[in-house]
Amino acid sequence: MGKFSLNEFVRKTQQDDQENDYFELETERVLEVNLNGDVWSKMGAMISYTGDIKFERERVLEHGLGKMFKKALTGEGTQLMKASGKGRLYLADQGKKITVFDLNKESICVNGNDLLAFEPSIEWDIRLMRKMAGIMSGGLFNVTLQGTGKVAITTHFEPLTLLVKPGETVYTDPHATVAWSGNLTPEFKTDISFRTFIGRGSGESIQMAFSGEGFVIIQPFEEVYMSGES
């Protein structure tokens, strides 16, 4: 197990040239973008490419003044990179598992640290989690994506989707919360009694509370976010 000749290894791990979807999971941890135009991705996610592709850091006013101010308030937030041209682009993020969604006039909110890539047809906006400012050292924002097109997110290990039903509030650890349906607006609560067991910020347990009808995606890993401040 795990021993190959060089030819066997190449055959087992090489890219599949027959796949031609716009977003294609080359492996569960590598996203192939069959690019013929533009795509937005997380800064630093490019690991390889072929063809004629140019990369450009998101300009300050690329998405309008309002989003620039939100990024400043969140300590940069998620920096985006635009890839333009024609070719094959390979994206990954620290070996995290990748999931691709096809949005059809739908919306999803994604933790800014867990957004990998999305089509230019997708509209997006940054939402600040103001109530968590001063409690957590980072991860204070999420990105709302809506419209029609493909979105790729990342998780540590296998994600689990929790259904939110009317009258049944779902509580999650913010560090383990990846995404949720766009119609839900989480509330935040602190619980001093559990501070010994949960929470990484001020010593209090910070929980996200989801009420209504929708879904929440969590991961079996508490991710510590890095502040955007130097």
Side-chain angles (χ1 to χ4, degrees):
M1 187 74 176
K3 293 183 179 180
F4 304 93
S5 71
L6 283 177
N7 286 338
E8 288 171 340
F9 181 78
V10 169
R11 284 198 302 270
K12 185 176 179 64
T13 62
Q14 69 182 344
Q15 76 272 19
D16 186 349
D17 290 331
Q18 300 304 309
E19 296 174 339
N20 54 15
D21 283 352
Y22 179 64
F23 276 15
E24 193 76 49
L25 283 179
E26 193 66 16
T27 75
E28 65 177 10
R29 302 178 192 279
V30 176
L31 177 69
E32 176 188 293
V33 182
N34 291 286
L35 191 62
N36 188 9
D38 299 333
V39 68
W40 286 99
S41 71
K42 185 175 183 178
M43 180 66 69
M46 188 277 289
I47 58 172
S48 180
Y49 72 92
T50 63
D52 184 15
I53 300 177
K54 298 184 183 302
F55 301 92
E56 183 179 6
R57 181 189 294 268
E58 179 189 15
R59 295 190 297 271
V60 171
L61 295 178
E62 180 85 38
H63 291 104
L65 194 61
K67 289 177 183 175
M68 182 193 74
F69 286 144
K70 288 181 182 180
K71 284 202 165 191
L73 289 171
T74 59
E76 288 295 319
T78 295
Q79 285 195 321
L80 297 175
M81 170 185 70
K82 180 166 68 174
S84 304
K86 183 176 177 60
R88 292 175 184 263
L89 172 63
Y90 296 94
L91 303 174
D93 186 12
Q94 302 181 67
K96 294 166 68 176
K97 182 178 175 64
I98 300 169
T99 301
V100 176
F101 297 112
D102 274 305
L103 297 187
N104 183 16
K105 298 180 181 178
E106 299 164 300
S107 63
I108 187 172
C109 298
V110 182
N111 185 302
N113 200 49
D114 300 317
L115 178 61
L116 180 65
F118 58 93
E119 287 194 65
S121 59
I122 297 291
E123 297 181 3
W124 65 277
D125 196 12
I126 294 175
R127 292 184 181 178
L128 299 176
M129 300 188 213
R130 299 183 187 279
K131 291 185 179 180
M132 298 188 67
I135 298 177
M136 292 175 63
S137 60
L140 304 177
F141 67 98
N142 61 71
V143 183
T144 301
L145 304 122
Q146 59 184 355
T148 299
K150 293 184 183 291
V151 174
I153 69 169
T154 59
T155 57
H156 287 278
F157 311 108
E158 298 291 336
L160 173 67
T161 299
L162 306 174
L163 296 182
V164 181
K165 302 175 182 179
E168 298 181 10
T169 301
V170 173
Y171 299 92
T172 65
D173 182 338
H175 292 93
T177 305
V178 174
W180 54 93
S181 47
N183 61 300
L184 298 180
T185 301
E187 296 184 356
F188 298 92
K189 59 174 292 186
T190 58
D191 191 333
I192 304 297
S193 63
F194 287 106
R195 65 183 177 183
T196 304
F197 306 103
I198 311 174
R200 297 177 182 274
S202 64
E204 298 175 346
S205 164
I206 306 100
Q207 301 164 2
M208 298 177 77
F210 294 89
S211 301
E213 189 168 10
F215 63 85
V216 183
I217 301 172
I218 60 174
Q219 61 185 359
F221 185 93
E222 291 186 76
E223 194 164 13
V224 180
Y225 311 107
M226 299 300 295
S227 171
E229 299 175 358
S230 56

